[in-house]
């Protein structure tokens, strides 16, 4: 698969230096998968952190990101952490945010209500495989994969190649990471039903998004 070009950092770090945004004891804050970033248009959840050529990126839901350009770690928008690099929606549903603030760390972990799950890789799911939707502010919901290559229609157009699961997606779950054990599976792009009686979630697979931009989970 061809690799799309990403904008290089304004100043590339020396080969022996730590990547831009690498974890530091002096970091003002940390952004993990499941955390929220803020823009002038609203808020979106980080799915997974990734890296390429010494620079850190976030994978997020493309429909949520929309036309937003600048991203902040706080609702007051005082801690600028990154800029939108690419949005792929409709057709697919993901966005790539390039982190730009070296005072903030970007661990390859998911925030689960204050504890952290280290994500060790990414994979395409299989029907029947159990996936879980952890989040930083709500319960973890798990369920089996029901179908692959599912399409969902939006007013803006159709998104194809999605994963349908029986893991309930609560309101506000769009962008949340979906994992199987410590393996990244996808990003929540929507759902239906009630978590009290069962529900359905739809995931944008993470592997195609990583491959399209030459990114690696870390």
């Amino acid at each position: 698969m061809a690799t799309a070009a990403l904008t290089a950092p304004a100043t590339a770090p020396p080969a022996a230096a730590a990547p831009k945004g690498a974890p530091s004891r002096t970091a003002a804050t940390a952004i993990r998968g499941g955390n929220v970033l803020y823009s002038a248009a609203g808020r979106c959840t980080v799915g997974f952190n990734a890296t390429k050529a010494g620079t850190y990126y976030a994978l997020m839901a493309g429909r949520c990101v929309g036309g937003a350009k600048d991203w902040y770690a706080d609702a007051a928008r005082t801690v600028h952490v990154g800029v939108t690099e690419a949005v792929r929606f409709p057709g697919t549903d993901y966005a790539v945010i390039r982190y730009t603030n070296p005072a903030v760390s970007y661990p390859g972990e998911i925030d689960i209500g204050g504890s952290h799950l280290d994500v060790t890789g990414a994979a395409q799911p299989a029907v029947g495989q159990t996936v879980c939707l952890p989040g930083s502010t709500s319960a973890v919901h798990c369920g089996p994969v029901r179908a692959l290559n599912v399409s969902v229609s939006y007013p803006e157009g159709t998104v194809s190649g999605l994963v349908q699961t029986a893991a309930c997606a609560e309101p506000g779950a769009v962008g949340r990471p979906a994992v199987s054990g410590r393996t990244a599976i996808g990003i929540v792009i929507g759902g239906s039903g009630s978590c009290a009686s069962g529900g359905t979630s739809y995931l944008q697979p993470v592997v195609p998004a990583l491959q399209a931009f030459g990114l690696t989970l870390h």
Side-chain angles (χ1 to χ4, degrees):
M1 179 180 295
T3 299
L6 290 175
T7 303
T11 303
K20 288 178 64 178
S24 166
R25 291 184 180 180
T26 60
T29 187
I31 304 297
R32 296 176 171 85
N35 291 162
V36 172
L37 296 184
Y38 300 85
S39 73
R43 50 182 281 170
C44 293
T45 301
V46 174
F48 299 95
N49 285 336
T51 186
K52 178 184 178 181
T55 299
Y56 285 97
Y57 298 86
L59 285 178
M60 301 169 71
R63 186 168 185 253
C64 183
V65 170
K69 298 298 182 183
D70 291 285
W71 294 92
Y72 301 82
D74 59 323
R77 306 205 307 274
T78 61
V79 182
H80 187 269
V81 294
V83 295
T84 300
E85 193 77 5
V87 177
R88 297 292 182 263
F89 175 84
T92 54
D93 192 350
Y94 62 86
V96 177
I97 308 303
R98 175 167 51 89
Y99 289 123
T100 58
N101 189 340
V104 178
S105 65
Y106 312 102
E109 302 169 336
I110 293 173
D111 190 353
I112 309 176
S115 62
H116 305 138
L117 175 70
D118 187 27
V119 177
T120 58
Q124 292 279 48
V127 173
Q129 181 177 356
T130 297
V131 298
C132 295
L133 315 182
S136 60
T137 60
S138 61
V140 176
H141 296 286
C142 300
V145 172
R146 287 175 169 167
L148 305 175
N149 297 317
V150 175
S151 296
V152 174
S153 295
Y154 293 93
E156 300 91 338
T158 300
V159 176
S160 302
L162 300 176
V163 179
Q164 180 183 353
T165 87
C168 175
E170 295 180 336
V174 170
R176 184 173 297 175
V179 297
S180 181
R182 295 181 180 272
T183 301
I185 297 298
I187 298 171
V188 178
I189 62 99
S192 61
S194 167
C195 288
S197 58
T200 297
S201 59
Y202 297 93
L203 314 177
Q204 164 65 53
V206 71
V207 168
L210 294 171
Q211 292 177 339
F213 290 93
L215 301 175
T216 303
L217 297 183
H218 70 97

